[in-house]
Amino acid sequence: MGWKKRLIAVLVLLAVLVAGGAFFYVTHQRKTPEYAMSEITQALEKHDADTFFRYVDVDGVLDASYTDFMSGALQTEQPMNDEAKGAVESFASMVKAPVLKSFHEAIETYVKTGVWPAATGEETEALLDPSVAMQKAGLVGVELRGVDRVELHDEDATAVAMVRVHPQESDEDFVLRVVLAPADDGHYHVTGIENYRDYVVMLAKARRSKVDAYLTETASIVAEHEAAMREAETQRAEILAAGTLGNNATRQALQDLMTETILPDWQARKAALEAIDAPDAATPLHRLRLRICDLYIGYAEGYAAWMMDKKAATIREAEQKLKQAKTLEQEEKFLTKRIGGES
């Protein structure tokens, strides 16, 4: 055989090998769980919803994870008795359809845009609010750190991908056991998460830890402030006992008490609270405390002004703020007990 014929034979053989390799890749390599996970990762990076939904059975995963999600979401990081658990199960069954619809829409929005839906602000339907639901489900703020490995189960052709994630609410990574199975077209797709309940429990513990830390840190601020206010009230009583509001010296002493002691203390308390990063579960309490500070600051400023201008409107406005502050303080005590797990 001449060298030209041998060259042609070699080229033909190479072409056959390349074609065979390409055929093998198309018919086999693209129908592996590893390929599916790669496609899902790229789909998230490129905001390719069509590819994502091809390789993730979103509705199936949501349906399979619903019970785990609801038990964690409705418990709100607090223990429940048997009666409460029964009520949760009943409520969960009733709202399953709209909650799953909300989840599906939120996931689709995230895949397409890379941003979770914004909160609606409707507190009465908080659980159905996509942003709240995704937060409680442990999806918002989660960093995908890669796939550690993929285990193939020969007996039923299913696979489990060890997907390492890092939720912003926790100080540690978590490895999700993502289940994949062949679809009708032979491609693998995600059908569930084996250890989603464990993930929910881990997040609940992380949230509980942050709430406890917040309560401990703010308790010292509140205790120090309340001690200062008790002392200030004693001084106020002594000033009034020694004189009358019609006396200029008495009014000056009361104004000095407000501007030099009470007002600065409330301002310092607000500043100390603002410096604390409150966890989501404690945000309502944190905002309430700041509102109370604002009301007491307004009261102290108004009372001090009344000592000089003696106008009824000035003291009326100041006392209205004081009344609002005292009302909110009762709500503050209730919220503190509730997020602290007290009955």
Side-chain angles (χ1 to χ4, degrees):
M1 181 184 296
W3 68 270
K4 291 184 178 180
K5 289 183 178 181
R6 287 197 296 271
L7 177 59
I8 292 173
V10 170
L11 291 176
V12 170
L13 178 60
L14 288 174
V16 170
L17 291 174
V18 170
F23 178 77
F24 174 80
Y25 177 76
V26 171
T27 59
H28 176 73
Q29 199 64 22
R30 295 182 67 180
K31 294 182 179 181
T32 64
E34 290 85 354
Y35 182 82
M37 293 306 300
S38 176
E39 288 293 283
I40 292 169
T41 301
Q42 291 183 48
L44 289 171
E45 294 174 352
K46 298 177 180 179
H47 307 301
D48 182 353
D50 290 338
T51 298
F52 181 85
F53 278 88
R54 182 185 183 189
Y55 288 97
V56 179
D57 178 8
V58 173
D59 291 330
V61 173
L62 290 176
D63 187 72
S65 304
Y66 180 72
T67 301
D68 292 337
F69 160 70
M70 292 300 292
S71 64
L74 293 182
Q75 188 170 338
T76 321
E77 295 82 53
Q78 295 180 25
M80 293 187 292
N81 55 35
D82 291 340
E83 182 178 356
K85 288 180 180 178
V88 165
E89 292 174 357
S90 177
F91 180 74
S93 177
M94 180 177 64
V95 301
K96 181 175 182 178
V99 168
L100 292 187
K101 181 176 183 292
S102 172
F103 266 55
H104 184 106
E105 292 174 350
I107 291 173
E108 185 172 3
T109 296
Y110 176 75
V111 174
K112 289 180 177 179
T113 66
V115 179
W116 292 107
T120 64
E122 299 175 8
E123 295 184 4
T124 57
E125 299 182 358
L127 186 60
L128 303 183
D129 187 321
S131 68
V132 175
M134 293 300 103
Q135 181 71 44
K136 288 184 176 294
L139 299 180
V140 177
V142 174
E143 177 187 350
L144 177 61
R145 294 196 166 176
V147 179
D148 288 355
R149 67 183 187 280
V150 177
E151 297 178 351
L152 184 62
H153 300 163
D154 293 331
E155 63 275 11
D156 58 4
T158 61
V160 176
M162 309 301 175
V163 180
R164 184 172 298 277
V165 297
H166 185 86
Q168 64 182 8
E169 296 179 278
S170 174
D171 296 326
E172 58 187 27
D173 290 353
F174 187 90
V175 178
L176 293 169
R177 293 178 57 85
V178 178
V179 181
L180 299 98
D184 293 338
D185 62 1
H187 290 85
Y188 274 84
H189 65 166
V190 173
T191 60
I193 302 174
E194 281 187 354
N195 60 341
Y196 182 63
R197 180 181 293 277
D198 295 335
Y199 179 64
V200 172
V201 170
M202 182 274 290
L203 284 178
K205 290 181 178 179
R207 291 165 181 158
R208 181 72 260 167
S209 177
K210 291 181 183 297
V211 167
D212 289 343
Y214 169 82
L215 291 176
T216 299
E217 186 174 5
T218 56
S220 60
I221 295 174
V222 172
E224 181 180 355
H225 168 78
E226 289 181 346
M229 288 301 95
R230 286 193 296 271
E231 175 62 25
E233 185 56 34
T234 298
Q235 294 179 37
R236 181 171 178 273
E238 291 175 349
I239 292 172
L240 289 172
T244 65
L245 287 176
N247 183 278
N248 288 335
T250 300
R251 297 180 73 88
Q252 184 62 57
L254 289 173
Q255 183 188 48
D256 292 344
L257 178 64
M258 284 292 173
T259 58
E260 298 174 9
T261 301
I262 296 178
L263 178 58
D265 192 86
W266 277 106
Q267 290 171 331
R269 179 182 183 178
K270 181 181 179 182
L273 290 173
E274 287 179 328
I276 296 175
D277 185 16
D280 290 334
T283 296
L285 173 62
H286 195 67
R287 290 174 178 171
L288 182 62
R289 285 172 163 173
L290 293 177
R291 175 58 180 158
I292 290 171
C293 288
D294 286 335
L295 288 170
Y296 271 111
I297 288 171
Y299 164 70
E301 291 173 339
Y303 191 92
W306 179 56
M307 290 299 98
M308 295 297 102
D309 67 24
K310 302 180 183 180
K311 295 180 180 179
T314 303
I315 189 59
R316 208 166 33 239
E317 182 178 352
E319 289 180 340
Q320 182 61 31
K321 291 179 179 178
L322 177 62
K323 182 179 179 181
Q324 292 178 35
K326 290 188 176 300
T327 299
L328 292 183
E329 281 181 325
Q330 297 306 311
E331 185 176 347
E332 177 195 9
K333 292 178 181 178
F334 169 76
L335 280 178
T336 301
K337 289 182 178 180
R338 192 178 76 177
I339 71 169
E342 300 180 33
S343 57

